[in-house]
Amino acid sequence: MSNIPKKRIAIFGSTGSIGTQALDVIAANPDLFSAEVLTAMTNHTLLIEQAIRFEPAVVVIGEETKYHLVKEALAGKDIKVFCGEQALQEVASMSIYDMMLAAIVGYAGLKPTLRAIEAGKPIALANKETLVVAGDIIIRKALEYRVPIIPVDSEHSAIFQCLVGEGRNKIEKIILTASGGPFFGKKPNFLVNVKREHALQHPNWSMGAKITIDSATLMNKGLEVIEAKWLFNLRPDQIQVVVHPQSIIHSLVQFEDGSIKAQMGLPDMKLPIQYAMAFPQRIPNDFPRYNFIQPSTLHFHEPDLKTFRNLALAIEAMKQGGNMPCVLNAANELAVYAFLRNRIGFLDMTDVVEKTMMQIPYIEHPTLEDYFETDGEARTFAASIIHLYG
Ligand code: NAD
Ligand code: MG
């Protein structure tokens, strides 16, 4: 193994849930990986700690007011420090790394990821919003620059793993599993009173705040349906969502002959992170294993689209195509942050998304500029609705 050069990883969003777990994987496999780029939006303390421990070539702090703190703390070390949104994009095109782990949350991940693709860097993609907003352009660019996009999202990693070795064999459909989140089985009369504290408690996964809320509303599954469409080149009718509360089967692929492959394991994001970073290798680890003998039953249910309307809206946005998923994503980001600040209720998040989808002009074949504009317009409109809630 020592003859293989280390893969130099750029972690965009290193202070987040995915970013910190990726650093755990790197720390456990120092012969295989090094962290060459670390970036954070606000958490300069953690970024500094990470930089001292992993000695990357470059760090980027998003918040410009924190630049001098990071710069001072790393003075005397051979680490370049940059700040601001523009720097993220510039660093993404540098030759100092081999693979980008796209682990920024939300729309903010789009531009750096695009730049990395244009620089020919393989992408380990956690940031699903990038594909939701501009999936057609991202996939086209990845083909043009011959850049592999390896999913980190556990469901998509599962499907990707099921497809390895299948060549051109046709997919009949994929089955995306959903945990159902903390409010599985609940009805609107319950959900109307849900507060951020309840919604932030996920039964199976520990994740960043935005995706945890998205999991509670099932918007996360909606975003994942769109993500799957682009990653695996599927028609909307080839994607089925099944609620599987134990999160042991991470997703399934059904082939033309009716045969179904599943990928399974205990819910631990380090596994898909490690798989994407090491692909096509599998590397050993000491993560806990699933035990079939222990009494446990795997359950499967139909998702409740009438109660969890965000999933229905995302499927609708996918079917409409064009800039509609971009509108959905922008409105949802604003709605989630408003809910997290206790400005709107749990069910209001769906209203904000739905009204924004009805308002923003539809564009069938958007350019990248159209996506940027759509995102801005959708945010402005969603903010005006949120304002009405007081
Ligand atoms: P998080 O909130 O824990 O971390 C987000 C990271 O992005 C942080 O490092 C933060 O500093 C950075 N960031 C936030 N806003 C930024 C901005 N405007 N500009 C630059 N950097 C910014 O999020 P997370 O849970 O790690 O999720 C990251 C991405 O991975 C999301 O797209 C999420 O949907 C996806 N994902 C996460 C999980 C999980 O288990 N956490 C699972 C599957 C997919
Ligand atoms: Mg997922």
Side-chain angles (χ1 to χ4, degrees):
M1 261 193 196
S2 56
N3 291 337
I4 306 171
K6 283 187 200 182
K7 203 182 269 182
R8 300 168 304 167
I9 310 287
I11 306 183
F12 278 62
S14 66
T15 54
S17 162
I18 293 290
T20 51
Q21 294 182 81
L23 284 172
D24 290 344
V25 171
I26 292 176
N29 298 280
D31 295 343
L32 295 179
F33 306 116
S34 67
E36 291 303 330
V37 176
L38 301 175
T39 87
M41 187 60 196
T42 51
N43 192 345
H44 64 287
T45 319
L46 182 55
L47 183 66
I48 291 165
E49 261 175 55
Q50 293 178 337
I52 291 171
R53 180 161 175 218
F54 289 91
E55 300 188 328
V58 168
V59 300
V60 184
I61 179 79
E63 257 183 19
E64 305 196 4
T65 52
K66 298 201 164 149
Y67 171 75
H68 66 282
L69 293 171
V70 180
K71 182 82 184 157
E72 258 166 43
L74 301 179
K77 298 199 174 292
D78 193 12
I79 302 175
K80 290 203 173 64
V81 181
F82 299 108
C83 67
E85 196 193 324
Q86 195 59 34
L88 279 179
Q89 293 174 50
E90 281 158 21
V91 170
S93 21
M94 286 182 169
S95 59
I96 51 173
Y97 74 98
D98 302 311
M99 171 181 249
M100 172 191 271
L101 173 65
I104 288 177
V105 60
Y107 175 84
L110 171 65
K111 289 181 189 172
T113 306
L114 207 49
R115 288 289 282 271
I117 295 172
E118 288 168 347
K121 310 289 185 176
I123 309 288
L125 187 76
N127 175 253
K128 64 193 84 184
E129 293 91 345
T130 284
L131 282 180
V132 172
V133 170
D136 55 340
I137 291 180
I138 293 288
I139 296 299
R140 202 180 331 125
K141 289 254 183 204
L143 289 171
E144 183 185 339
Y145 290 89
R146 297 170 181 270
V147 164
I149 296 185
I150 303 160
V152 169
D153 215 349
S154 56
E155 298 77 1
H156 305 73
S157 175
I159 293 162
F160 186 94
Q161 292 182 52
C162 291
L163 292 174
V164 168
E166 290 291 344
R168 290 175 181 274
N169 288 337
K170 287 215 178 82
I171 298 173
E172 197 163 82
K173 69 171 182 181
I174 63 158
I175 298 145
L176 275 186
T177 52
S179 71
F183 308 127
F184 171 61
K186 302 289 188 211
K187 294 291 169 197
N189 60 355
F190 175 91
L191 295 176
V192 73
N193 295 316
V194 160
K195 295 282 174 277
R196 82 192 276 281
E197 292 69 34
H198 309 128
L200 279 173
Q201 273 153 21
H202 194 280
N204 302 349
W205 302 96
S206 160
M207 311 177 284
K210 194 244 173 194
I211 183 173
T212 306
I213 300 304
D214 282 343
S215 300
T217 64
L218 288 204
M219 180 57 95
N220 183 50
K221 209 47 55 181
L223 301 178
E224 290 186 357
V225 166
I226 302 171
E227 180 186 13
K229 169 194 151 64
W230 291 118
L231 280 172
F232 306 113
N233 192 20
L234 301 168
R235 297 186 311 272
D237 63 287
Q238 288 176 297
I239 308 171
Q240 182 184 1
V241 174
V242 170
V243 176
H244 165 43
Q246 293 79 21
S247 299
I248 297 295
I249 297 187
H250 298 307
S251 278
L252 311 94
V253 180
Q254 181 172 314
F255 294 92
E256 275 195 311
D257 59 357
S259 184
I260 300 172
K261 276 169 122 177
Q263 188 267 340
M264 307 174 69
L266 290 173
D268 181 347
M269 282 309 294
K270 284 212 275 295
L271 198 52
I273 291 170
Q274 164 178 313
Y275 181 84
M277 282 180 6
F279 181 80
Q281 259 184 292
R282 285 190 187 268
I283 53 179
N285 59 42
D286 57 4
F287 308 159
R289 267 53 173 164
Y290 179 64
N291 180 358
F292 276 91
I293 306 304
Q294 260 176 10
S296 71
T297 315
L298 302 183
H299 292 110
F300 305 93
H301 312 266
E302 182 104 20
D304 178 356
L305 294 185
K306 289 209 170 70
T307 303
F308 294 91
R309 288 177 50 234
N310 274 359
L311 176 55
L313 287 176
I315 292 170
E316 176 57 29
M318 168 177 63
K319 287 182 177 161
Q320 287 189 35
N323 62 343
M324 205 44 80
C326 173
V327 173
L328 170 104
N329 177 71
N332 182 59
E333 284 191 23
L334 259 77
V336 169
Y337 290 115
F339 174 75
L340 283 169
R341 292 196 312 271
N342 296 317
R343 290 199 53 195
I344 63 174
F346 189 83
L347 295 175
D348 300 332
M349 285 188 276
T350 306
D351 278 342
V352 171
V353 174
E354 188 168 34
K355 287 186 177 133
T356 310
M357 283 173 69
M358 288 186 322
Q359 176 69 21
I360 302 302
Y362 177 69
I363 306 174
E364 193 177 356
H365 299 294
T367 61
L368 193 55
E369 279 307 317
D370 289 332
Y371 284 127
F372 298 160
E373 272 175 33
T374 296
D375 177 78
E377 283 171 31
R379 277 166 202 270
T380 306
F381 184 77
S384 71
I385 306 176
I386 290 167
H387 194 68
L388 298 177
Y389 288 96

